[in-house]
Amino acid sequence: MSQPVASPALEPAPPRHVAIIMDGNGRWAKARGLPRNLGHRQGVDAVREVVRACRGLGIQYLTLYAFSSENWKRPQTEVAGLMDLLRLYIRRELNELASAGVRIRVIGDRSRLAADIIELIAEAENRTAENRILTLVIALSYGGQDEIVSACRRIAERVAAGTLDPDRIDADIVAANLHTTGIPDPDLVIRTSGEQRLSNFLLWQSAYSELIFVDKLWPDFGQSDLAAAVGEFQRRDRRYGGSGD
Ligand code: FPP
């Protein structure tokens, strides 16, 4: 009689969507006696490495918190430096990202951005709209509370116009009115630099995300750190409020 073939233990699935709060650029620069903007510049190298690592780790969506709605309060030179880095990143990387099958989406309040950045974003989104290997979501001038407030406003307008019955408002309708419509909620949110808070990032969408806080500063974060976070995620038991039995 032939022996039953033991089926290999099923490996837990990798996170489909990873969202990252890239924190610690300023401290990285300060530790070296450099201006803060050099820390951000070094942070772009980490962005490049992490974007490239996603495919091999089975990640299909990557959201990066590049500039929060609160970051407008930083000194004008730092804001201008960050905007320059975003321009450079999109201009320099667009060809490579487009041919690697990366779709680019930008979430946040575009009305505060310079006209040329708005144009560049539209070009990047349009050129990569059909790509499906990885969706790279850049959160720019983004705040989770603002996003929920504008969703409420849009829903209230439909109620006031008589096209939506308030009894029909549910989580799906709210989610459909967020900037992230069509993007699955993040399975894993990573924050670097040792700080342990969400800082207004994907507040609605992270309701059931696993959170991983990494002590490294963002410019020091790389492929092996992302792989380690994915491994830790795969060892976690996600219950979504259920008992797990
Ligand atoms: C937080 O570090 C980081 C930011 C506010 C900006 C992140 C931006 C980049 C990594 C570069 C541009 C991004 C892309 C997608 C091309 P911090 O300045 O608050 O650091 P600190 O807490 O040590 O001061």
Side-chain angles (χ1 to χ4, degrees), residues 17-23 43-52 54 59 61-68 71 86 89 97 102 105-108 134-142 186 188-190 192 201-202 218 221 226:
H17 182 175
V18 174
I20 308 184
I21 303 173
M22 310 181 286
D23 196 13
V44 178
D45 289 346
V47 166
R48 227 173 262 125
E49 184 171 334
V50 163
V51 169
R52 285 185 189 142
C54 282
I59 298 164
Y61 295 82
L62 174 70
T63 299
L64 298 176
Y65 204 5
F67 193 89
S68 75
N71 288 154
L86 279 153
Y89 178 76
L97 293 170
V102 178
R105 273 191 63 177
V106 175
I107 57 171
L134 170 74
T135 298
L136 171 62
V137 183
I138 302 177
L140 184 58
S141 187
Y142 172 86
L188 169 61
V189 175
I190 300 171
T192 58
F201 185 49
L202 300 179
W218 175 250
F221 189 90
L226 182 64

Side-chain angles (χ1 to χ4, degrees), residues 82-203:
L82 276 165
M83 292 298 152
D84 278 344
L85 285 176
L86 279 153
R87 277 187 187 93
L88 264 183
Y89 178 76
I90 299 180
R91 281 201 197 115
R92 283 204 188 142
E93 308 283 315
L94 186 54
N95 280 340
E96 187 187 322
L97 293 170
S99 48
V102 178
R103 177 179 189 181
I104 297 175
R105 273 191 63 177
V106 175
I107 57 171
D109 177 7
R110 291 188 198 193
S111 69
R112 299 182 74 177
L113 300 172
D116 70 301
I117 296 194
I118 297 175
E119 241 173 73
L120 206 54
I121 290 170
E123 183 197 337
E125 287 182 330
N126 293 336
R127 244 185 90 186
T128 61
E130 301 308 321
N131 287 349
R132 290 293 177 268
I133 300 282
L134 170 74
T135 298
L136 171 62
V137 183
I138 302 177
L140 184 58
S141 187
Y142 172 86
Q145 291 183 340
D146 281 355
E147 182 189 34
I148 294 169
V149 169
S150 12
C152 292
R153 204 171 283 134
R154 285 165 63 180
I155 293 168
E157 280 164 6
R158 285 175 57 198
V159 170
T163 56
L164 177 64
D165 176 352
D167 287 338
R168 278 199 49 234
I169 300 172
D170 59 9
D172 288 341
I173 291 193
V174 175
N177 282 280
L178 299 172
H179 299 307
T180 47
T181 173
I183 298 170
D185 289 341
D187 303 290
L188 169 61
V189 175
I190 300 171
R191 183 176 187 140
T192 58
S193 93
E195 307 288 349
Q196 301 195 356
R197 56 180 169 268
L198 281 176
S199 299
N200 209 7
F201 185 49
L202 300 179
L203 296 182

